[in-house]
Amino acid sequence: MKLKVGVNDSRAALETSLSVSLQRNFQLNPAGFSQQQQQNLCQTLSVDMSAAASCLLTEDQFLCSICLDVFTDPVSTRCGHNFCKTCITEHWDKHVTYQCPNCKEVFDSRPQLRVNTFISEMAAQFRQSAQKRVSSSEQQVSKPGEVPCDVCTGTKLKALKSCLVCLESYCETHLQPHLTKSGLKRHQLINPVEDLEDRMCPKHDILLELFCQTDQTCVCMLCTISDHKTHDVVPLKEEYEGKKAELGETEAEIQQMIQKRRLKIEEMKHSVALSKEAAHRETADGVQVFTALKESVERSQAELIDTIKEKQRKTEKQAEGFIKELEQEISELKKRSTEVEQLSQSEDHLHLLQSCSSLNAAPPTKDWTEVSIHPPSYEGTVRRAVSQLEETLSQQMKKLFAEADLKRAHKSAVDLTLDPDTANPKLILSDDGKQVSCGYVWKKLPDNPERFDYCPGVLGKQSLSSGSFYYEVQVKGKPDWDLGVARESINRKGLVTMSPQNGYWTIWLRNENEYDACVGPLVRLSLKSRPEKVGVFVDYEEGLVSFYDVDAAALIYSFTGCCFTEKLYPYFSPCINNAAKNSAPLIISPVNHTE
């Protein structure tokens, strides 16, 4: 491909470049140029220092006439013509006569060739400059989808701006008049767009610069005095700004909708993560429960087999003892039989008679008539083992479920404090609101509606109207106490009857060992151990109130199927002091979050 490159360098730069190149070549190779060669070189390059800035250097001036490509290692003949060293060498290798391919001058002998470093450097600079300008030009050429310059002839360059007055698009070069000339500076320039003709009124062939709000269409000045005479017409810019503001609001609404949906996605992902966590936790609890049950079954099976084997071993041992004793007697009897037989065969009268007297005493033997081996009875062994297993499994399942429930309850633990405005005047509350006991003195306190005036009770400050909560209370050393939850509207004056119908879901201890659930008629609770710390768990939506022996990880009692419609408050009653026998406080304990 041939390249034509305009020399846009400044005059000073070009003069300096040529001067430096000439000096370097004359210094390095003063004999390399004849006067004729220098004149030819100047003529080839068309170097005119007074007009260097506007000089055009074409590729033809740097082409080898043999290969028709830019010089590579150029050499000069005595006649002043230049060729690639390889080209002229190969040319003379093929021809007997040594002559110049251009002017046909014949040389007596094959000339000695040396590379013309000046032309070599100029050719290299030309090649580099041409490549840069080709690359720059290619970057500016309009590509598919881009707006081309309307002024460019031949190759269309990419437009940088479009003029709404001229209705044309301009590249960087052709845009300059609009940036420099005063008359053109007033024209409205926009980012390049195609089909500028669409901005002209098809009826009047002038610029559409107004907007008819009645018909919602763009119009020109002449349209306002004809078809749109009575319509509401505003400048295009004004309507543009209004629509742009509306689009901004729409965009904000869309972004808000996008944000809401992203938040919903995050919410759903969080729900899935919670579900996954709950599934893993439930699976782990299930594996633990079934593993424990499986171990219990295997242990009960092993005990059953051991019981049966033990009975069999006792029977075998008894039989072995009897058999050994019988074999002993048989051995003695055989021995006597042998003696009798030998004596009976004796023919010595005197010897037989004398020996018979010693045989009269029978050997010591046992009467085996009533002796027998009775096989052990296995009837009911399996049934009893299964019944025992059922009881064991039931207890173990209750314990395992209680432990699992307590683990879940721990996640709903709340930091409770007692509300002094609800406390009976005899109650003594600690400064941190974590302990309550019953004193002897009736304190002078405001008789506000929230305060218990007869029942020695107090409520917690924190309430529950949805979800769940859990707290633990130390009851160690107290023979009497009440614990549970109460709804907000309970009666706090006079005698209080604890029951769900009256808004109380509680259990209590009386006389050190009488545990009851206050269901209405009391339900006596049978506990294997005396709790020292009681956990209270409430699930509002499930209608559940459960009480646990925290240390034993055992369920004490559950109110189920409750219907809560009001706020629920923790309820505490240390009961009366009873002459210091019940002076120990109820203590709200921190929950130990263990897995």
Side-chain angles (χ1 to χ4, degrees), residues 39-217:
Q39 291 175 355
N40 291 339
L41 177 61
C42 291
Q43 182 180 1
T44 302
L45 295 176
S46 299
V47 176
D48 182 359
M49 291 302 183
S50 62
S54 60
C55 174
L56 282 179
L57 299 179
T58 66
E59 184 184 16
D60 294 338
Q61 294 170 297
F62 287 94
L63 294 183
C64 170
S65 59
I66 298 176
C67 66
L68 300 179
D69 201 354
V70 179
F71 289 126
T72 302
D73 295 333
V75 294
S76 300
T77 60
R78 287 197 296 268
C79 60
H81 294 108
N82 303 298
F83 307 94
C84 297
K85 183 177 181 180
T86 303
C87 294
I88 191 63
T89 300
E90 292 178 352
H91 176 77
W92 282 341
D93 287 342
K94 296 177 181 178
H95 298 81
V96 177
T97 304
Y98 304 118
Q99 66 178 5
C100 174
N102 284 356
C103 65
K104 306 303 180 181
E105 180 180 344
V106 178
F107 308 112
D108 297 336
S109 60
R110 184 166 182 162
Q112 185 177 3
L113 301 175
R114 292 183 181 179
V115 175
N116 189 324
T117 55
F118 174 72
I119 296 180
S120 178
E121 289 183 8
M122 292 301 296
Q125 290 179 17
F126 171 82
R127 187 183 291 108
Q128 184 178 5
S129 175
Q131 185 62 36
K132 287 182 179 179
R133 294 183 183 278
V134 169
S135 176
S136 175
S137 175
E138 287 177 351
Q139 290 177 3
Q140 296 176 1
V141 171
S142 176
K143 299 176 182 177
E146 294 179 340
V147 179
C149 176
D150 293 324
V151 182
C152 287
T153 58
T155 302
K156 295 285 188 178
L157 298 185
K158 177 182 176 182
L160 297 183
K161 292 291 180 179
S162 295
C163 178
L164 293 180
V165 177
C166 303
L167 297 179
E168 288 188 331
S169 300
Y170 302 108
C171 65
E172 182 177 6
T173 301
H174 295 121
L175 182 64
Q176 294 303 313
H178 279 76
L179 302 178
T180 57
K181 293 184 178 181
S182 58
L184 297 178
K185 281 184 177 181
R186 291 192 293 269
H187 290 192
Q188 185 179 356
L189 299 176
I190 61 173
N191 288 331
V193 293
E194 293 182 318
D195 301 327
L196 286 170
E197 294 79 7
D198 294 342
R199 297 174 178 271
M200 302 294 290
C201 177
K203 185 175 183 179
H204 302 105
D205 199 26
I206 62 175
L207 189 65
L208 296 170
E209 50 187 350
L210 299 174
F211 185 82
C212 177
Q213 294 179 331
T214 304
D215 292 342
Q216 291 292 301
T217 185

Side-chain angles (χ1 to χ4, degrees), residues 17 55 70 89 91 104 169 171 245 288 315 357 370 373 383 391 416 445 466 506 555 575 588 593:
S17 175
C55 174
V70 179
T89 300
H91 176 77
K104 306 303 180 181
S169 300
C171 65
Q288 180 182 359
T315 302
S357 59
E370 302 297 331
I373 296 297
R383 187 180 301 276
E391 182 178 354
L416 287 184
L445 298 173
S466 65
T506 60
L555 177 66
C575 296
I588 300 174
H593 295 271

